[in-house]
Amino acid sequence: MAISREKKVQILDTLKKGFSESTSVAFAKTFKLTVAEMSEVRKDLREADARIMLAKKTLINLAYKEVHGEDLPAEVLDGQLAVVFGKNED
């Protein structure tokens, strides 16, 4: 099912906020995770003051480019992709 333009704008804004406010960002391949495993990952990340976000690669790249002024490397954009945003207060 296609997502609406408004939803895409909302996702883009959330991604841009994550890229600009996080102290660490990681990219993860998620194609082999079950729903239960992904729920466990989300729970563990919340405990570490981090979060994972799944989005279309085009939106991830666009948000990254708007915040950092360059495209993500092609090897990062290969396959199913999730972004992990972390805030290290140390």
Side-chain angles (χ1 to χ4, degrees):
M1 177 168 63
I3 58 175
S4 69
R5 181 161 180 73
E6 293 81 22
K7 183 67 175 171
K8 287 180 184 177
V9 169
Q10 181 184 23
I11 292 168
L12 185 63
D13 289 343
T14 302
L15 286 164
K16 288 191 300 191
K17 184 177 179 182
F19 283 125
S20 63
E21 294 179 357
S22 297
T23 57
S24 61
V25 176
F27 299 95
K29 306 292 182 187
T30 60
F31 61 93
K32 292 194 177 195
L33 292 178
T34 65
V35 172
E37 290 169 334
M38 185 56 112
S39 294
E40 188 66 25
V41 168
R42 287 181 191 276
K43 178 181 167 251
D44 291 344
L45 286 170
R46 271 192 306 272
E47 291 172 2
D49 197 23
R51 64 189 174 100
I52 190 167
M53 184 172 181
L54 300 169
K56 291 181 172 268
K57 291 181 282 192
T58 53
L59 292 176
I60 293 170
N61 191 48
L62 182 59
Y64 185 86
K65 187 173 186 173
E66 287 187 21
V67 172
H68 296 289
E70 61 186 13
D71 286 323
L72 285 166
E75 61 270 11
V76 171
L77 295 172
D78 182 41
Q80 254 184 324
L81 187 64
V83 185
V84 179
F85 298 110
K87 292 187 178 181
N88 185 356
E89 301 297 328
D90 295 327

Coordinates of all heavy atoms in Angstrom, one line a residue:
M1 N 0.8 -1.2 0.0 CA 0.0 0.0 0.0 C 0.9 1.2 0.0 O 1.8 1.4 0.8 CB -0.9 0.0 1.2 CG -1.8 1.2 1.3 SD -3.1 1.1 2.6 CE -2.2 0.9 4.1
A2 N 0.6 2.2 -0.9 CA 1.3 3.4 -1.0 C 1.0 4.3 0.2 O -0.1 4.3 0.7 CB 1.0 4.1 -2.3
I3 N 2.0 5.1 0.6 CA 1.7 6.1 1.7 C 1.5 7.4 1.1 O 2.0 7.8 0.0 CB 2.9 6.1 2.7 CG1 4.2 6.5 2.1 CG2 3.0 4.8 3.4 CD1 5.3 6.6 3.1
S4 N 0.7 8.2 1.8 CA 0.3 9.5 1.3 C 1.5 10.5 1.3 O 2.5 10.3 2.0 CB -0.9 10.1 2.1 OG -0.4 10.4 3.4
R5 N 1.3 11.6 0.6 CA 2.4 12.6 0.5 C 2.6 13.2 1.9 O 3.7 13.5 2.4 CB 2.0 13.7 -0.5 CG 3.0 14.8 -0.6 CD 2.9 15.5 -1.9 NE 3.8 16.6 -2.0 CZ 5.1 16.5 -2.3 NH1 5.6 15.3 -2.4 NH2 5.9 17.5 -2.4
E6 N 1.5 13.4 2.6 CA 1.5 14.0 4.0 C 2.3 13.1 4.9 O 3.1 13.6 5.7 CB 0.1 14.2 4.5 CG -0.7 15.3 3.8 CD -1.3 14.8 2.5 OE1 -1.5 13.6 2.4 OE2 -1.6 15.6 1.6
K7 N 2.1 11.8 4.8 CA 2.8 10.8 5.7 C 4.3 10.8 5.3 O 5.1 10.8 6.2 CB 2.2 9.4 5.5 CG 2.8 8.4 6.4 CD 2.5 8.7 7.8 CE 3.0 7.5 8.7 NZ 3.0 7.8 10.1
K8 N 4.6 10.9 4.0 CA 6.0 11.0 3.6 C 6.7 12.2 4.2 O 7.8 12.2 4.6 CB 6.1 11.0 2.1 CG 5.8 9.6 1.5 CD 6.0 9.7 0.0 CE 5.6 8.4 -0.7 NZ 5.6 8.4 -2.1
V9 N 6.0 13.4 4.2 CA 6.5 14.6 4.7 C 6.8 14.4 6.2 O 7.8 14.8 6.8 CB 5.6 15.8 4.4 CG1 6.0 17.0 5.3 CG2 5.6 16.1 3.0
Q10 N 5.8 13.8 6.9 CA 6.0 13.5 8.3 C 7.2 12.6 8.6 O 8.0 12.9 9.5 CB 4.7 12.9 8.9 CG 4.7 12.6 10.4 CD 3.5 11.9 10.8 OE1 2.8 11.3 10.0 NE2 3.2 12.0 12.1
I11 N 7.3 11.6 7.8 CA 8.5 10.7 8.0 C 9.8 11.4 7.7 O 10.8 11.2 8.5 CB 8.3 9.4 7.1 CG1 7.1 8.6 7.5 CG2 9.6 8.6 7.0 CD1 6.7 7.5 6.5
L12 N 9.8 12.2 6.7 CA 11.0 13.0 6.3 C 11.4 13.9 7.5 O 12.6 14.0 7.8 CB 10.8 13.7 5.0 CG 12.0 14.5 4.5 CD1 13.1 13.5 4.1 CD2 11.5 15.3 3.3
D13 N 10.4 14.6 8.0 CA 10.7 15.5 9.2 C 11.3 14.7 10.4 O 12.2 15.2 11.0 CB 9.4 16.2 9.6 CG 9.0 17.3 8.6 OD1 9.9 17.7 7.7 OD2 7.9 17.7 8.6
T14 N 10.7 13.6 10.7 CA 11.2 12.7 11.8 C 12.6 12.3 11.5 O 13.5 12.3 12.4 CB 10.3 11.5 12.0 OG1 8.9 12.0 12.2 CG2 10.7 10.6 13.1
L15 N 12.9 11.9 10.3 CA 14.3 11.4 9.9 C 15.3 12.6 10.1 O 16.4 12.5 10.6 CB 14.3 10.9 8.5 CG 13.7 9.5 8.4 CD1 13.5 9.2 6.9 CD2 14.6 8.4 9.0
K16 N 14.9 13.8 9.5 CA 15.8 14.9 9.6 C 16.1 15.3 11.1 O 17.2 15.6 11.4 CB 15.2 16.1 8.9 CG 15.2 16.0 7.4 CD 14.9 17.2 6.6 CE 13.5 17.8 6.9 NZ 13.1 18.9 6.0
K17 N 15.0 15.3 11.9 CA 15.2 15.5 13.3 C 16.2 14.5 14.0 O 17.1 14.9 14.7 CB 13.9 15.5 14.0 CG 13.9 15.9 15.5 CD 12.5 15.9 16.1 CE 12.6 16.2 17.6 NZ 11.4 16.2 18.3
G18 N 16.0 13.3 13.6 CA 16.9 12.2 14.1 C 18.3 12.4 13.7 O 19.3 12.4 14.5
F19 N 18.6 12.8 12.4 CA 19.9 13.0 11.9 C 20.6 14.2 12.6 O 21.7 14.3 12.8 CB 19.9 13.1 10.4 CG 19.8 11.8 9.7 CD1 18.9 11.6 8.7 CD2 20.7 10.8 9.9 CE1 18.8 10.4 8.0 CE2 20.6 9.6 9.2 CZ 19.7 9.4 8.3
S20 N 19.8 15.2 12.8 CA 20.3 16.5 13.4 C 20.5 16.5 14.9 O 21.4 17.1 15.4 CB 19.5 17.7 12.9 OG 18.2 17.6 13.5
E21 N 19.7 15.7 15.6 CA 19.7 15.8 17.1 C 20.4 14.6 17.7 O 20.7 14.7 18.9 CB 18.3 15.9 17.6 CG 17.6 17.1 17.3 CD 16.1 17.2 17.8 OE1 15.7 16.2 18.4 OE2 15.5 18.2 17.6
S22 N 20.7 13.6 17.0 CA 21.3 12.4 17.6 C 22.8 12.5 17.7 O 23.4 13.2 16.8 CB 21.0 11.1 16.7 OG 19.6 10.9 16.7
T23 N 23.4 12.0 18.7 CA 24.8 12.0 18.9 C 25.5 10.8 18.1 O 26.7 10.8 17.9 CB 25.3 11.9 20.3 OG1 24.7 10.8 21.0 CG2 24.8 13.2 21.1
S24 N 24.7 9.8 17.8 CA 25.2 8.7 17.0 C 24.1 8.2 16.1 O 22.9 8.2 16.5 CB 25.7 7.6 17.9 OG 24.7 7.1 18.7
V25 N 24.5 7.7 14.9 CA 23.6 7.2 13.9 C 24.2 5.9 13.4 O 25.4 5.9 13.1 CB 23.3 8.2 12.8 CG1 22.4 7.5 11.7 CG2 22.7 9.4 13.3
A26 N 23.4 4.9 13.3 CA 23.8 3.6 12.7 C 22.8 3.2 11.6 O 21.6 3.4 11.8 CB 24.1 2.5 13.7
F27 N 23.3 2.4 10.6 CA 22.4 1.9 9.6 C 22.4 0.4 9.8 O 23.5 -0.2 10.0 CB 22.8 2.3 8.2 CG 22.8 3.8 8.1 CD1 23.9 4.6 8.3 CD2 21.6 4.5 7.7 CE1 23.9 5.9 8.1 CE2 21.6 5.8 7.6 CZ 22.7 6.6 7.8
A28 N 21.2 -0.2 9.7 CA 21.2 -1.7 9.9 C 20.3 -2.3 8.8 O 19.3 -1.8 8.4 CB 20.5 -2.0 11.3
K29 N 20.7 -3.5 8.4 CA 19.9 -4.3 7.5 C 19.0 -5.1 8.3 O 19.3 -5.8 9.3 CB 20.8 -5.3 6.7 CG 22.0 -4.6 6.0 CD 21.5 -3.7 4.9 CE 22.6 -3.1 4.1 NZ 22.3 -2.1 3.2
T30 N 17.7 -5.2 7.9 CA 16.7 -5.8 8.8 C 15.9 -6.9 8.1 O 14.9 -7.4 8.6 CB 15.6 -4.7 9.2 OG1 15.0 -4.2 8.1 CG2 16.3 -3.7 10.0
F31 N 16.4 -7.3 6.9 CA 15.6 -8.2 6.1 C 15.4 -9.6 6.7 O 14.5 -10.3 6.3 CB 16.2 -8.4 4.7 CG 17.6 -8.9 4.6 CD1 17.8 -10.3 4.5 CD2 18.7 -8.1 4.8 CE1 19.1 -10.8 4.4 CE2 19.9 -8.6 4.7 CZ 20.2 -9.9 4.5
K32 N 16.1 -10.0 7.7 CA 16.0 -11.4 8.2 C 15.3 -11.4 9.6 O 15.2 -12.4 10.3 CB 17.3 -12.1 8.3 CG 17.8 -12.5 6.9 CD 18.9 -13.4 7.0 CE 19.4 -13.8 5.6 NZ 20.2 -15.0 5.6
L33 N 14.9 -10.2 10.1 CA 14.3 -10.1 11.4 C 12.8 -10.4 11.4 O 12.1 -9.9 10.5 CB 14.5 -8.8 12.0 CG 15.9 -8.4 12.4 CD1 15.9 -7.0 13.0 CD2 16.5 -9.4 13.4
T34 N 12.3 -11.2 12.3 CA 10.9 -11.4 12.4 C 10.3 -10.2 13.2 O 11.0 -9.4 13.8 CB 10.6 -12.7 13.2 OG1 11.0 -12.5 14.6 CG2 11.2 -13.9 12.6
V35 N 9.0 -10.1 13.2 CA 8.3 -9.1 14.0 C 8.6 -9.2 15.4 O 8.9 -8.1 16.1 CB 6.8 -9.1 13.7 CG1 6.0 -8.2 14.6 CG2 6.4 -8.9 12.3
A36 N 8.7 -10.3 16.0 CA 9.0 -10.5 17.4 C 10.5 -10.1 17.7 O 10.7 -9.4 18.7 CB 8.8 -12.0 17.8
E37 N 11.4 -10.4 16.8 CA 12.8 -10.0 16.9 C 12.9 -8.5 16.8 O 13.6 -7.9 17.6 CB 13.7 -10.7 15.9 CG 13.8 -12.2 16.1 CD 14.4 -12.9 15.0 OE1 14.3 -12.4 13.8 OE2 15.1 -14.0 15.2
M38 N 12.2 -7.9 15.9 CA 12.2 -6.4 15.8 C 11.7 -5.7 17.0 O 12.2 -4.7 17.4 CB 11.5 -6.0 14.5 CG 11.6 -4.5 14.3 SD 13.3 -3.9 14.1 CE 13.3 -3.5 12.4
S39 N 10.6 -6.3 17.6 CA 10.1 -5.7 18.8 C 11.1 -5.8 19.9 O 11.2 -4.9 20.7 CB 8.8 -6.5 19.2 OG 7.8 -6.3 18.3
E40 N 11.8 -6.9 20.0 CA 12.9 -7.0 21.0 C 14.0 -6.0 20.8 O 14.5 -5.4 21.8 CB 13.4 -8.5 21.0 CG 14.4 -8.7 22.2 CD 13.7 -8.7 23.5 OE1 12.5 -9.0 23.6 OE2 14.4 -8.5 24.5
V41 N 14.4 -5.8 19.6 CA 15.4 -4.8 19.2 C 14.9 -3.4 19.7 O 15.7 -2.7 20.3 CB 15.7 -4.8 17.7 CG1 16.5 -3.6 17.3 CG2 16.4 -6.1 17.4
R42 N 13.7 -3.1 19.3 CA 13.1 -1.8 19.7 C 13.1 -1.6 21.3 O 13.5 -0.5 21.8 CB 11.7 -1.6 19.2 CG 11.6 -1.4 17.7 CD 10.1 -1.2 17.3 NE 9.9 -1.3 15.9 CZ 10.1 -0.2 15.1 NH1 10.4 0.9 15.6 NH2 9.9 -0.4 13.8
K43 N 12.7 -2.6 22.0 CA 12.7 -2.6 23.4 C 14.1 -2.4 24.0 O 14.4 -1.5 24.8 CB 12.2 -3.9 24.0 CG 12.2 -4.0 25.5 CD 11.6 -5.3 25.9 CE 11.9 -5.5 27.4 NZ 12.9 -6.6 27.7
D44 N 15.1 -3.1 23.5 CA 16.5 -3.0 23.9 C 17.1 -1.6 23.6 O 17.8 -1.0 24.4 CB 17.4 -4.0 23.3 CG 17.1 -5.4 23.8 OD1 16.4 -5.6 24.8 OD2 17.5 -6.4 23.1
L45 N 16.7 -1.0 22.5 CA 17.2 0.3 22.1 C 16.6 1.4 23.0 O 17.3 2.3 23.4 CB 16.9 0.6 20.6 CG 17.8 -0.2 19.6 CD1 17.3 0.0 18.2 CD2 19.2 0.3 19.7
R46 N 15.3 1.2 23.3 CA 14.6 2.2 24.2 C 15.4 2.3 25.5 O 15.6 3.3 26.1 CB 13.2 1.9 24.4 CG 12.2 2.4 23.4 CD 10.8 2.3 23.8 NE 10.4 1.0 24.2 CZ 9.9 0.1 23.3 NH1 9.8 0.4 22.0 NH2 9.5 -1.1 23.7
E47 N 15.8 1.1 26.0 CA 16.5 1.0 27.3 C 17.8 1.7 27.2 O 18.4 2.2 28.2 CB 16.6 -0.4 27.8 CG 15.3 -1.1 28.2 CD 15.4 -2.6 28.4 OE1 16.6 -3.1 28.3 OE2 14.4 -3.2 28.7
A48 N 18.4 1.8 26.0 CA 19.7 2.4 25.8 C 19.5 3.9 25.3 O 20.5 4.5 24.8 CB 20.5 1.6 24.8
D49 N 18.3 4.4 25.4 CA 18.0 5.8 25.0 C 18.3 6.0 23.5 O 18.9 6.9 23.0 CB 18.8 6.8 25.8 CG 18.2 8.2 25.6 OD1 17.0 8.3 25.2 OD2 18.9 9.2 25.8
A50 N 17.9 5.0 22.7 CA 18.0 5.0 21.2 C 16.8 4.5 20.6 O 15.9 3.9 21.3 CB 19.2 4.1 20.8
R51 N 16.6 4.7 19.3 CA 15.4 4.2 18.7 C 15.8 3.8 17.2 O 16.8 4.3 16.7 CB 14.3 5.2 18.7 CG 14.6 6.4 17.9 CD 13.5 7.5 18.1 NE 13.9 8.7 17.5 CZ 13.4 9.1 16.3 NH1 12.5 8.4 15.7 NH2 13.8 10.3 15.8
I52 N 15.0 2.9 16.7 CA 15.2 2.4 15.3 C 14.0 2.8 14.5 O 12.9 2.9 15.0 CB 15.4 0.9 15.3 CG1 15.9 0.4 13.9 CG2 14.2 0.1 15.7 CD1 16.4 -1.0 13.9
M53 N 14.3 3.2 13.3 CA 13.2 3.7 12.4 C 13.4 3.0 11.0 O 14.5 3.0 10.4 CB 13.3 5.2 12.3 CG 12.2 5.8 11.4 SD 12.2 7.5 11.5 CE 10.8 7.9 10.5
L54 N 12.3 2.4 10.6 CA 12.3 1.9 9.2 C 11.6 2.9 8.3 O 10.6 3.5 8.7 CB 11.5 0.6 9.2 CG 12.0 -0.6 10.1 CD1 10.9 -1.7 10.2 CD2 13.3 -1.1 9.6
A55 N 12.2 3.1 7.1 CA 11.6 4.0 6.2 C 12.1 3.7 4.8 O 13.1 2.9 4.6 CB 12.0 5.4 6.5
K56 N 11.5 4.2 3.8 CA 12.0 4.0 2.4 C 13.4 4.6 2.3 O 13.7 5.7 2.9 CB 11.0 4.7 1.4 CG 9.7 4.1 1.3 CD 8.8 4.8 0.3 CE 7.6 4.1 0.0 NZ 7.7 3.2 -1.1
K57 N 14.2 3.9 1.5 CA 15.6 4.4 1.4 C 15.7 5.8 0.7 O 16.5 6.6 1.1 CB 16.4 3.4 0.5 CG 16.6 2.1 1.2 CD 17.4 1.1 0.4 CE 16.5 0.5 -0.7 NZ 17.1 -0.6 -1.4
T58 N 14.8 6.1 -0.1 CA 14.8 7.4 -0.8 C 14.5 8.5 0.3 O 15.2 9.5 0.2 CB 13.7 7.5 -1.9 OG1 12.5 7.1 -1.4 CG2 14.1 6.6 -3.1
L59 N 13.6 8.2 1.2 CA 13.4 9.2 2.3 C 14.6 9.3 3.2 O 14.9 10.4 3.7 CB 12.1 8.9 3.0 CG 10.8 9.0 2.3 CD1 9.6 8.5 3.1 CD2 10.6 10.4 1.8
I60 N 15.2 8.2 3.6 CA 16.3 8.2 4.4 C 17.5 9.0 3.8 O 18.1 9.9 4.4 CB 16.8 6.8 4.7 CG1 15.8 6.0 5.6 CG2 18.2 6.8 5.4 CD1 16.0 4.6 5.8
N61 N 17.7 8.8 2.5 CA 18.8 9.5 1.8 C 18.5 11.0 1.7 O 19.3 11.8 1.9 CB 19.0 8.9 0.4 CG 20.3 9.4 -0.2 OD1 21.4 9.4 0.4 ND2 20.2 9.8 -1.4
L62 N 17.2 11.3 1.4 CA 16.8 12.7 1.2 C 17.0 13.5 2.6 O 17.6 14.6 2.6 CB 15.4 12.8 0.8 CG 14.8 14.2 0.5 CD1 15.7 14.9 -0.5 CD2 13.4 14.1 0.1
A63 N 16.6 12.8 3.7 CA 16.7 13.5 5.0 C 18.2 13.7 5.3 O 18.6 14.7 5.8 CB 16.0 12.6 6.0
Y64 N 19.0 12.6 5.1 CA 20.4 12.7 5.3 C 21.1 13.8 4.5 O 21.9 14.6 5.1 CB 21.1 11.4 5.0 CG 22.6 11.3 5.4 CD1 23.0 11.0 6.7 CD2 23.5 11.6 4.5 CE1 24.3 10.9 7.0 CE2 24.9 11.6 4.8 CZ 25.3 11.3 6.1 OH 26.6 11.2 6.4
K65 N 20.7 13.9 3.3 CA 21.3 14.9 2.4 C 20.9 16.3 2.8 O 21.7 17.3 2.8 CB 20.8 14.7 0.9 CG 21.5 15.6 -0.1 CD 21.1 15.2 -1.5 CE 22.0 16.0 -2.5 NZ 21.8 15.5 -3.8
E66 N 19.6 16.5 3.3 CA 19.2 17.8 3.7 C 19.9 18.3 5.0 O 20.2 19.4 5.2 CB 17.7 17.8 3.9 CG 16.9 17.8 2.6 CD 15.4 18.0 2.8 OE1 15.0 18.5 3.8 OE2 14.7 17.6 1.8
V67 N 20.3 17.3 5.8 CA 20.9 17.6 7.1 C 22.4 17.8 6.9 O 23.1 18.7 7.4 CB 20.6 16.6 8.2 CG1 21.5 16.8 9.4 CG2 19.1 16.7 8.6
H68 N 23.0 16.8 6.1 CA 24.5 16.8 6.0 C 25.1 17.3 4.7 O 26.3 17.3 4.5 CB 25.0 15.3 6.3 CG 24.7 14.9 7.7 ND1 25.4 15.4 8.8 CD2 23.8 14.0 8.1 CE1 24.9 14.8 9.9 NE2 23.9 14.0 9.5
G69 N 24.2 17.6 3.7 CA 24.6 18.1 2.5 C 25.2 17.2 1.5 O 25.8 17.6 0.5
E70 N 25.1 15.9 1.7 CA 25.6 14.9 0.8 C 24.8 13.6 0.8 O 24.1 13.4 1.8 CB 27.1 14.6 1.1 CG 27.3 14.0 2.5 CD 28.8 13.8 2.8 OE1 29.6 14.3 2.1 OE2 29.1 13.1 3.8
D71 N 24.9 12.8 -0.2 CA 24.1 11.6 -0.3 C 24.8 10.5 0.6 O 26.1 10.6 0.8 CB 24.1 11.0 -1.7 CG 23.1 11.8 -2.6 OD1 22.1 12.2 -2.1 OD2 23.4 11.9 -3.8
L72 N 24.1 9.6 1.1 CA 24.7 8.4 1.7 C 25.4 7.6 0.7 O 25.0 7.6 -0.5 CB 23.6 7.6 2.4 CG 22.9 8.1 3.6 CD1 21.7 7.4 4.0 CD2 23.9 8.0 4.8
P73 N 26.5 6.9 1.1 CA 27.2 6.0 0.2 C 26.3 4.9 -0.4 O 25.4 4.5 0.4 CB 28.3 5.4 1.0 CG 28.5 6.3 2.2 CD 27.1 6.9 2.4
A74 N 26.5 4.6 -1.6 CA 25.6 3.6 -2.3 C 25.6 2.2 -1.5 O 24.5 1.6 -1.4 CB 26.1 3.3 -3.7
E75 N 26.7 1.8 -0.9 CA 26.7 0.6 -0.1 C 25.8 0.6 1.1 O 25.3 -0.4 1.5 CB 28.1 0.1 0.2 CG 28.9 1.1 1.1 CD 29.7 2.1 0.4 OE1 29.5 2.3 -0.8 OE2 30.5 2.8 1.1
V76 N 25.6 1.8 1.7 CA 24.7 1.9 2.8 C 23.2 1.7 2.3 O 22.4 1.1 3.0 CB 24.8 3.3 3.5 CG1 23.7 3.5 4.5 CG2 26.2 3.4 4.1
L77 N 22.9 2.2 1.1 CA 21.5 2.1 0.6 C 21.2 0.8 -0.1 O 20.2 0.7 -0.7 CB 21.3 3.3 -0.4 CG 21.4 4.7 0.3 CD1 21.4 5.7 -0.8 CD2 20.3 4.9 1.3
D78 N 22.0 -0.2 0.1 CA 21.7 -1.5 -0.5 C 20.9 -2.4 0.4 O 21.2 -2.6 1.5 CB 23.0 -2.2 -0.8 CG 22.9 -3.5 -1.5 OD1 22.0 -3.6 -2.4 OD2 23.6 -4.5 -1.2
G79 N 19.7 -2.9 -0.1 CA 18.9 -3.8 0.7 C 17.9 -3.0 1.6 O 17.8 -1.8 1.6
Q80 N 17.2 -3.8 2.4 CA 16.3 -3.2 3.4 C 17.1 -2.5 4.4 O 18.1 -3.0 4.9 CB 15.5 -4.3 4.1 CG 14.1 -4.4 3.6 CD 13.3 -5.4 4.4 OE1 13.8 -6.5 4.8 NE2 12.0 -5.1 4.6
L81 N 16.6 -1.3 4.8 CA 17.4 -0.5 5.7 C 16.6 0.1 6.8 O 15.5 0.5 6.7 CB 18.0 0.7 4.8 CG 19.0 1.6 5.4 CD1 20.3 0.9 5.8 CD2 19.3 2.8 4.4
A82 N 17.3 0.2 8.0 CA 16.7 0.8 9.2 C 17.8 1.8 9.7 O 19.0 1.6 9.5 CB 16.4 -0.2 10.2
V83 N 17.3 2.8 10.3 CA 18.3 3.8 10.9 C 18.1 3.8 12.4 O 17.0 3.8 13.0 CB 17.9 5.2 10.4 CG1 19.0 6.2 11.0 CG2 17.9 5.3 8.9
V84 N 19.2 3.7 13.1 CA 19.2 3.7 14.6 C 19.8 5.1 15.0 O 20.8 5.5 14.7 CB 20.1 2.6 15.2 CG1 20.1 2.6 16.7 CG2 19.6 1.2 14.7
F85 N 19.0 5.8 15.8 CA 19.4 7.1 16.3 C 19.6 6.9 17.8 O 18.8 6.4 18.6 CB 18.2 8.1 16.2 CG 17.9 8.4 14.7 CD1 16.7 8.0 14.2 CD2 18.8 9.1 13.9 CE1 16.4 8.2 12.9 CE2 18.4 9.3 12.6 CZ 17.2 8.9 12.1
G86 N 20.8 7.4 18.3 CA 21.1 7.3 19.7 C 21.5 8.7 20.3 O 22.0 9.6 19.5
K87 N 21.3 8.8 21.5 CA 21.7 10.0 22.2 C 22.6 9.6 23.4 O 22.1 9.1 24.4 CB 20.5 10.8 22.7 CG 19.7 11.4 21.6 CD 18.6 12.3 22.1 CE 17.9 12.9 21.0 NZ 16.8 13.8 21.4
N88 N 23.8 9.9 23.3 CA 24.8 9.6 24.4 C 24.9 10.8 25.2 O 25.5 11.8 24.8 CB 26.1 9.1 23.8 CG 27.0 8.6 24.9 OD1 26.7 8.7 26.1 ND2 28.2 8.1 24.5
E89 N 24.5 10.8 26.5 CA 24.6 11.9 27.4 C 25.9 12.0 28.1 O 26.0 12.9 28.9 CB 23.4 11.9 28.3 CG 22.0 11.9 27.7 CD 21.8 13.2 26.9 OE1 22.3 14.3 27.2 OE2 21.1 13.1 25.8
D90 N 26.8 11.0 27.9 CA 28.0 11.0 28.7 C 29.0 12.1 28.3 O 29.2 12.5 27.2 CB 28.7 9.7 28.6 CG 27.9 8.6 29.2 OD1 27.2 8.8 30.2 OD2 27.9 7.5 28.7

